[in-house]
Amino acid sequence: MRRFLFRICAFATVVMISAISLHAQDTTHPTSVDPKLLAWENARVVKEYTIAGIEITGVRYLDTAIVLSISGLQVGDQFRHPGEEIFSKAINNLWRQKLFSDIQIYITRIEGDKVYIEISVQELPRLGNFKFVGIRKTEAEDLQSKIQLAKQTIISENTRRRITEVSTKFFKDKGYQNVKVNIVEKPDTSFANSNSLTIYIDKGKKVRINDIIFYGNEQVDGNKLKRQMKGTKEMSRFTLHPTLDSTRFGIKHRPEFSTYLKDWGFLSFTKTKLLLDPYFRFKLFSSAKLDPKKFDEDRDKILNYYNSLGYRDAQILDTAITKASNGNLDIAIKVEEGHKYYFGNITWKGNSKYPDTLLNAILGISKGDIYNIDILNKRLGKQLSQEGGDIGSLYMDDGYLFFHADPVETAVYNDTIDHEIRIVEGPQARIKNVTISGNEKTKDYVIRRELTTIPGNLFSRADLIRSQRDLGQLQYFNQESIDPGVVPNAEDGTVDINWKLEEKSSDQLELSAGWGGGIGLTGTLGVSFNNFSIHNIFKRSAWDPLPQGDGQKLSLRIQSNGRAFRSYSFSFTEPWLGGKKRNSLTIAYNNSKYSNAFDPYTGFIDKARSDSSYLKANSFSVSLGKQLKWPDDFFSLIYTLSFTQYKLKKYPIFQNLSDGVSNNFNIRIALQRSSAGPNPIYPVSGSNFMASVQVTPPYSLLDPGLVDSKNPYKNPEYHKWRFNAEWYVPIGKPKGADKSRQFVLKVAAKYGFMGRYNKNLDFSPFERFQLGDAGLTNNYGLLGYDIISQRGYPVYQSSDPTVNPDQQSASQFFTIFNKYTLEMRYPLVTNPGSTIFGLAFFEAANGWYDFKDYNPFRLRRSAGVGMRFFLPMFGLLGFDYGIGFDRLTPGTKLKDASRFTFMLGYEPE
């Protein structure tokens, strides 16, 4: 019986292997036993075979020649069997293309050493039409951009898996934790061998965080711990009394409101009462969703906060995330605070350059201070910062690039920890090579003259930061991509600095045009070339499109308002006169004409009036600036010699002066210090100071008869003093990797005073101070006036804040002014193509005609918000909305006390 069963099993086995498949069995092939195929299957002696024929089956849309080529098999190929896995390699070659759902290779017959094979494939379908169901159109568009489905691409299992995974993650990131994705695939007759996909998405209910509860926090309040969790927030709570008087709050009862109000947490709503669900939570200014990645980061922040308070052994023992009855989540966090520790004795080892007393003073940690390892590491310089002032900066500014300090706990007793700071000073490193790359237009010498990292000098971290700032101030390079590329060479004690730069456009264009029925053609054309090369102006090959690269600045501007106004201006600046020192030379010229050409009877510009009533101004100035080395090299001294001739013809801009010629010859000396940066458009730290005096010769003292002359202002005389101060203070920590993305507080104070030499001669009508409005230049700007902005107010002439400036027309201006500004700024965009930031401001300012009336505490106040847009091609644009508090008189509406102002090209004073 056993023999019979054995024979039956053997026969069944022979039948099953009669059609040989190296990958899978095709049941459509004949099942009769071929002795030659059996011999092939059971072969034990290696024999050489030749492929005599190849047949491709199952291909409907692909070219059979392509399939054959991909397989790597060719008629005439020789192989040994058994031994060589030639068919397995062919199958792997085909699988790698991801074009097929099934691949089989059959041996159809064998004739001697000739083998005939069949490659049988089943093509994967291609994607035809597809759509998302169950979500909004905007969500579908965002999801499609992430999945990146494209028609006529292969639909594989990987495609289906990607759709499911990306869709689930997309909505989970938005707070939907129970996302379900169902993909329905059907043949699509619109395309050959294509299937359509209908992607059904059930987002479910958005899941938010009800409560975050801490356990075990005996010393630190739970609300303080919650504030450390920047990425995980619970839903906000009502703090009102659970029962509200609806009549008192002016809420009218309507029955159809009941369902709506229940969604917002009200249990009942009657004509007199609102009953609030005490367990209700609502979303306010926070997403209140659970992001696992951010939650893990927040757990670390909690521990860091504990460490900053001295609890260095604090740990999170357990975290429980449970589902609440309303479908949201409750998070419970169990902490173990441990003991609170304090710093004990701190000793130094290995320091030969600086004494312990100096290092202790810079470290700023005394025995008994709360233990905080982060502060210790920061003071030691293990966490590099732009501010400096730590031990690491002290050493690195003196060439000790290889310096490092390691704090070691030497004793822990009770609640006190002693430390030994082990210092390895290393050798002083000198700068070996300084290379520059990325400057396609700007010449190397223009960049090198800004660098304080010079070959042969000792390495200095402060010099490195200063060089970065100075390169950024040029505005030729993308501020965020300036990379010093410090490469220490420990073998020879040197360091290479490889500056990597990315150039950006710094030229600016101002272009506008219009037509007024009563005015005619108006327009402005202005260009500023901020990296000009006057040395190559006569070299035709350098015009691409203009000669550039020498760091000079050339500005040209033409402005016209028909016959009412026209102006031509020109300026040229060489920042490094002579090429060896930072001595700047600026030459400027301006020719302007204001005409009293408007005819109030006809409403049009009258040519005869424009030729008979006007103000002309011709000015020329030369400035020479010099960088100082003392008190530090942020200081500079600027001398300016200027001459302006005014011609007035029936132009009553001044009282008792409407005709005549005035020649304003003056010299101005300004001492300034500028350390604000690193980006001059949006400084995040540093300060700017400027003190100047501008004087004319004392003509009336030399010629006493000038006081009683017909035109006492033929040669105006005065002495004018100015002082400006600005501070930029970073608030909080930067957002992300971009160090400029943080709040910055700007504090500014400005003062101005114009005096006279002769008390019998009134103050000069030129060079006064105009206050109010946006600070844009006007016809008074031609007269040397300092145009001082004050947002929220029109131009005013009274020193009394109780006098409404809206009810007066300013025609006389001040000889003294004070202005104070507070601005809180935050950047929205800080990329190379543009800089955009928002601001909120508070200002107080006023002006006076004489020292007798001067009262520095009697100021006009305003507050508001604004935006700034810097586009390299067009310069700075600004919009401000301000409310003048002193315009809010009884009966005045808020909108009547507010003012919208616009600025273009530069930040007004």
Side-chain angles (χ1 to χ4, degrees):
M1 185 67 181
R2 290 182 179 177
R3 248 181 225 181
F4 176 76
L5 291 176
F6 177 78
R7 289 175 181 177
I8 292 295
C9 292
F11 177 76
T13 303
V14 170
V15 171
M16 291 176 63
I17 66 173
S18 60
I20 300 172
S21 171
L22 299 180
H23 177 72
Q25 178 65 43
D26 187 348
T27 59
T28 63
H29 279 65
T31 57
S32 59
V33 180
D34 186 338
K36 294 181 179 180
L37 297 182
L38 284 175
W40 169 279
E41 177 66 18
N42 298 318
R44 294 293 182 267
V45 178
V46 177
K47 182 179 179 181
E48 189 172 273
Y49 292 88
T50 301
I51 299 177
I54 301 176
E55 181 184 5
I56 309 294
T57 62
V59 174
R60 299 176 58 192
Y61 303 100
L62 291 174
D63 190 337
T64 56
I66 293 177
V67 176
L68 181 60
S69 175
I70 293 173
S71 71
L73 298 177
Q74 297 292 333
V75 174
D77 286 351
Q78 294 180 343
F79 63 96
R80 295 176 180 273
H81 176 77
E84 293 186 33
E85 300 295 333
I86 182 173
F87 300 127
S88 297
K89 292 180 181 178
I91 290 174
N92 289 333
N93 291 339
L94 293 169
W95 273 125
R96 279 196 293 268
Q97 304 306 310
K98 298 180 180 180
L99 297 173
F100 310 104
S101 60
D102 187 31
I103 304 169
Q104 302 180 44
I105 297 180
Y106 300 101
I107 296 178
T108 57
R109 71 179 188 272
I110 301 174
E111 296 178 356
D113 62 349
K114 307 293 184 185
V115 176
Y116 295 83
I117 66 173
E118 174 189 343
I119 301 176
S120 177
V121 298
Q122 183 176 341
E123 296 180 51
L124 284 170
R126 295 179 179 271
L127 179 60
N129 294 307
F130 61 90
K131 63 179 179 180
F132 294 90
V133 178
I135 59 177
R136 295 193 302 269
K137 181 180 179 181
T138 54
E139 292 174 330
E141 291 173 350
D142 292 342
L143 192 54
Q144 158 61 8
S145 66
K146 293 180 178 295
I147 301 175
Q148 296 182 340
L149 290 175
K151 292 183 179 181
Q152 292 305 290
T153 55
I154 298 296
I155 302 175
S156 63
E157 190 58 37
N158 184 57
T159 305
R160 300 181 186 89
R161 184 170 56 252
R162 176 172 173 76
I163 292 173
T164 302
E165 291 176 353
V166 173
S167 300
T168 302
K169 183 180 184 303
F170 178 78
F171 286 106
K172 277 193 173 183
D173 290 344
K174 293 180 177 293
Y176 298 93
Q177 300 298 318
N178 303 311
V179 183
K180 297 179 181 178
V181 181
N182 183 30
I183 303 173
V184 177
E185 186 172 345
K186 295 181 180 179
D188 191 342
T189 57
S190 303
F191 305 92
N193 187 35
S194 298
N195 287 351
S196 65
L197 295 182
T198 303
I199 306 165
Y200 294 91
I201 298 179
D202 181 7
K203 298 185 293 185
K205 183 181 178 182
K206 183 173 282 191
V207 178
R208 302 187 185 279
I209 301 173
N210 272 353
D211 285 299
I212 301 175
I213 305 170
F214 287 91
Y215 297 95
N217 55 313
E218 298 177 358
Q219 303 299 326
V220 181
D221 184 66
N223 290 327
K224 292 183 178 179
L225 297 177
K226 290 177 186 179
R227 285 196 287 270
Q228 309 309 314
M229 304 176 71
K230 305 301 182 183
T232 309
K233 300 291 184 181
E234 62 186 2
M235 297 185 74
S236 304
R237 311 180 182 195
F238 277 113
T239 56
L240 301 175
H241 193 276
T243 303
L244 304 179
D245 188 334
S246 58
T247 305
R248 177 184 174 188
F249 284 92
I251 306 174
K252 297 181 179 180
H253 178 265
R254 292 177 63 181
E256 59 268 27
F257 285 172
S258 298
T259 302
Y260 178 77
L261 289 172
K262 283 183 179 180
D263 293 338
W264 282 89
F266 293 101
L267 297 179
S268 64
F269 182 35
T270 67
K271 291 184 178 180
T272 58
K273 297 293 180 183
L274 284 168
L275 182 59
L276 182 66
D277 182 354
Y279 299 102
F280 178 68
R281 303 288 184 269
F282 67 100
K283 175 187 175 184
L284 181 65
F285 305 127
S286 66
S287 61
K289 65 184 180 183
L290 179 63
D291 185 323
K293 182 178 179 181
K294 291 183 179 179
F295 181 57
D296 289 340
E297 293 173 355
D298 287 337
R299 285 159 50 96
D300 292 336
K301 290 177 182 177
I302 292 171
L303 294 179
N304 291 337
Y305 180 64
Y306 264 113
N307 291 338
S308 70
L309 299 177
Y311 298 92
R312 72 161 191 167
D313 299 331
Q315 55 182 319
I316 295 176
L317 298 178
D318 193 15
T319 300
I321 301 175
T322 57
K323 196 170 185 179
S325 58
N326 61 357
N328 288 334
L329 301 176
D330 289 330
I331 299 178
I333 302 175
K334 185 178 181 180
V335 300
E336 184 178 75
E337 295 177 330
H339 296 293
K340 186 173 184 177
Y341 290 90
Y342 300 86
F343 282 109
N345 297 313
I346 297 178
T347 58
W348 302 86
K349 183 178 180 180
N351 54 307
S352 59
K353 176 69 176 179
Y354 300 106
D356 293 1
T357 53
L358 177 61
L359 297 181
N360 282 325
I362 296 175
L363 187 65
I365 297 176
S366 303
K367 185 176 182 179
D369 289 352
I370 294 174
Y371 177 82
N372 188 335
I373 190 62
D374 287 336
I375 288 181
L376 179 60
N377 288 331
K378 185 177 180 181
R379 302 278 176 85
L380 289 175
K382 298 177 78 67
Q383 302 173 4
L384 293 179
S385 64
Q386 291 282 341
E387 292 79 11
D390 51 64
I391 304 295
S393 299
L394 176 69
Y395 274 93
M396 288 192 179
D397 287 346
D398 198 23
Y400 291 91
L401 176 62
F402 306 101
F403 158 88
H404 63 90
D406 298 314
V408 179
E409 295 181 4
T410 55
V412 179
Y413 48 94
N414 297 327
D415 59 355
T416 304
I417 304 175
D418 291 344
H419 284 85
E420 181 181 79
I421 312 297
R422 298 174 182 175
I423 292 178
V424 177
E425 295 178 336
Q428 286 180 300
R430 291 193 175 273
I431 300 174
K432 185 177 182 181
N433 299 311
V434 177
T435 62
I436 301 170
S437 62
N439 53 318
E440 298 177 357
K441 296 180 180 178
T442 308
K443 297 176 182 177
D444 278 5
Y445 82 90
V446 174
I447 299 170
R448 289 188 182 276
R449 69 191 185 188
E450 301 291 338
L451 301 178
T452 52
T453 54
I454 302 172
N457 286 1
L458 284 174
F459 174 83
S460 171
R461 178 177 170 276
D463 287 346
L464 203 69
I465 295 173
R466 175 64 184 274
S467 296
Q468 276 185 289
R469 173 192 175 275
D470 289 347
L471 289 176
Q473 294 282 339
L474 291 176
Q475 287 290 290
Y476 304 158
F477 310 105
N478 173 14
Q479 179 70 39
E480 306 304 323
S481 67
I482 299 176
D483 181 13
V486 178
V487 181
N489 304 313
E491 297 80 9
D492 58 1
T494 62
V495 58
D496 293 337
I497 300 178
N498 305 312
W499 290 98
K500 296 179 182 178
L501 309 173
E502 179 185 333
E503 283 194 310
K504 67 176 183 178
S505 175
S506 59
D507 298 333
Q508 296 176 3
L509 172 66
E510 182 182 0
L511 180 62
S512 65
W515 178 268
I519 300 175
L521 180 65
T522 65
T524 300
L525 174 61
V527 291
S528 294
F529 306 109
N530 295 315
N531 194 4
F532 193 69
S533 174
I534 198 170
H535 302 296
N536 296 323
I537 197 168
F538 297 111
K539 293 183 180 180
R540 187 174 180 180
S541 59
W543 287 71
D544 185 27
L546 289 168
Q548 293 180 309
D550 281 334
Q552 297 154 348
K553 182 175 181 179
L554 176 66
S555 296
L556 302 168
R557 193 170 188 266
I558 302 174
Q559 187 175 8
S560 173
N561 193 17
R563 292 187 176 275
F565 169 72
R566 59 113 181 104
S567 175
Y568 315 110
S569 61
F570 158 86
S571 69
F572 172 79
T573 300
E574 168 55 75
W576 286 70
L577 185 64
K580 295 183 179 180
K581 295 183 179 180
R582 200 190 296 266
N583 297 331
S584 64
L585 172 68
T586 300
I587 301 173
Y589 173 75
N590 178 271
N591 181 292
S592 301
K593 177 184 178 182
Y594 270 97
S595 299
N596 191 12
F598 182 75
D599 189 336
Y601 299 103
T602 63
F604 288 91
I605 297 296
D606 183 70
K607 181 178 183 302
R609 292 175 63 93
S610 67
D611 293 336
S612 60
S613 177
Y614 57 80
L615 163 66
K616 290 183 179 180
N618 275 291
S619 64
F620 179 79
S621 65
V622 179
S623 298
L624 181 64
K626 180 181 180 180
Q627 183 183 27
L628 304 179
K629 297 297 182 182
W630 186 88
D632 60 42
D633 58 3
F634 287 110
F635 279 89
S636 60
L637 192 62
I638 302 174
Y639 306 89
T640 303
L641 186 67
S642 64
F643 173 79
T644 305
Q645 183 180 75
Y646 303 101
K647 292 184 178 180
L648 287 80
K649 184 176 182 180
K650 296 181 181 179
Y651 196 86
I653 193 169
F654 303 130
Q655 188 176 5
N656 302 324
L657 180 61
S658 59
D659 290 276
V661 176
S662 296
N663 298 307
N664 183 359
F665 176 79
N666 63 77
I667 184 171
R668 181 175 181 267
I669 302 175
L671 176 66
Q672 62 186 36
R673 184 184 189 275
S674 178
S675 63
N679 185 347
I681 303 301
Y682 187 77
V684 297
S685 62
S687 58
N688 295 322
F689 295 94
M690 189 278 296
S692 69
V693 58
Q694 182 177 336
V695 298
T696 65
Y699 298 108
S700 64
L701 299 181
L702 301 175
D703 182 10
L706 183 66
V707 176
D708 300 320
S709 65
K710 184 178 180 180
N711 182 7
Y713 304 114
K714 180 178 181 181
N715 295 301
E717 61 178 31
Y718 57 86
H719 51 93
K720 184 176 180 179
W721 305 77
R722 287 292 311 271
F723 177 76
N724 293 350
E726 295 176 345
W727 293 268
Y728 296 92
V729 183
I731 305 296
K733 295 182 179 179
K735 303 290 184 181
D738 186 352
K739 299 303 181 183
S740 66
R741 292 190 67 81
Q742 66 182 125
F743 285 99
V744 174
L745 177 65
K746 175 186 175 182
V747 183
K750 299 181 180 181
Y751 306 95
F753 168 74
M754 188 183 76
R756 52 184 174 174
Y757 299 113
N758 193 329
K759 65 179 182 179
N760 297 320
L761 182 64
D762 197 6
F763 290 98
S764 166
F766 304 97
E767 301 289 344
R768 295 195 180 195
F769 306 106
Q770 183 190 85
L771 271 73
D773 206 30
L776 297 178
T777 188
N778 49 47
N779 56 343
Y780 287 96
L782 293 180
L783 305 175
Y785 278 42
D786 290 2
I787 312 297
I788 311 299
S789 69
Q790 186 173 12
R791 293 163 284 190
Y793 287 90
V795 176
Y796 52 87
Q797 68 174 0
S798 173
S799 301
D800 187 355
T802 62
V803 176
N804 192 339
D806 298 304
Q807 300 174 0
Q808 58 177 321
S809 178
S811 59
Q812 184 180 0
F813 298 104
F814 305 114
T815 61
I816 306 172
F817 89 93
N818 289 0
K819 180 183 175 183
Y820 307 94
T821 302
L822 286 175
E823 272 188 8
M824 182 64 76
R825 301 175 166 191
Y826 186 77
L828 305 175
V829 177
T830 56
N831 60 42
S834 61
T835 298
I836 303 174
F837 62 90
L839 58 89
F841 67 85
F842 175 81
E843 288 185 337
N846 206 355
W848 297 267
Y849 293 103
D850 201 296
F851 226 40
K852 298 176 186 177
D853 304 322
Y854 178 67
N855 184 346
F857 303 104
R858 200 170 192 181
L859 304 170
R860 285 183 165 91
R861 300 152 300 164
S862 65
V865 295
M867 292 287 292
R868 296 290 182 270
F869 307 83
F870 178 80
L871 305 175
M873 192 66 180
F874 300 100
L876 192 64
L877 307 175
F879 305 90
D880 294 295
Y881 180 80
I883 299 173
F885 296 145
D886 295 289
R887 297 171 67 191
L888 288 169
T889 57
T892 302
K893 296 181 180 180
L894 183 64
K895 67 177 183 178
D896 297 326
S898 60
R899 194 173 183 87
F900 182 82
T901 55
F902 168 78
M903 52 146 300
L904 174 66
Y906 59 92
E907 189 79 43
E909 286 206 69

